[in-house]
Amino acid sequence: MISRELIAASTEPLILSLLQRGENYGYAIAEKVRAFSRGEIEWTEGMLYPVLHRMERRGLLKSRWDAANNNGRRRRYYSLTAKGRDVLADRRREWVAVNKALTVAWGT
């Protein structure tokens, strides 16, 4: 099990990384993270949606509503803004530096 602190620290970079591939809606984002982590990271709606809304307020994401399927339900699709791309580049540099330091510290 991954600690809550590490999951919290990785949430924003994971969301930004997924959305650089193209827009998506919350449930699909959570499912992709679960698949990428082979089930190690599972986000609840109660955790994910406040993060998405906070990132949108900060200007990292933009959203739009669209019909999801034939049942008439609508989904909110999120995509990166230019600011979100810049922040993703910063977060990528930070995580690479942390990974390198841990690799050296662990002697692997």
Side-chain angles (χ1 to χ4, degrees), residues 20-87:
Q20 79 174 345
R21 299 167 182 227
E23 73 175 5
N24 223 324
Y25 58 97
Y27 179 78
I29 293 168
E31 285 299 300
K32 285 182 184 278
V33 167
R34 188 181 62 73
F36 289 164
S37 70
R38 295 186 176 111
E40 295 277 340
I41 301 173
E42 292 197 35
W43 293 341
T44 65
E45 288 183 18
M47 187 283 301
L48 178 59
Y49 287 102
V51 173
L52 289 169
H53 297 160
R54 191 167 43 248
M55 291 174 72
E56 186 173 18
R57 282 192 306 272
R58 290 176 43 215
L60 306 180
L61 309 177
K62 61 183 176 181
S63 67
R64 68 177 181 83
W65 287 97
D66 200 359
N69 51 35
N70 294 336
N71 70 7
R73 291 186 57 188
R74 293 172 16 128
R75 288 185 176 150
R76 191 172 188 173
Y77 285 83
Y78 295 89
S79 60
L80 283 184
T81 63
K83 183 178 178 181
R85 285 185 234 302
D86 291 343
V87 169

Side-chain angles (χ1 to χ4, degrees), residues 7 10-19 29 33 36 41 43:
I7 289 174
S10 65
T11 300
E12 185 175 290
L14 281 168
I15 291 170
L16 293 171
S17 296
L18 287 169
L19 291 177
I29 293 168
V33 167
F36 289 164
I41 301 173
W43 293 341

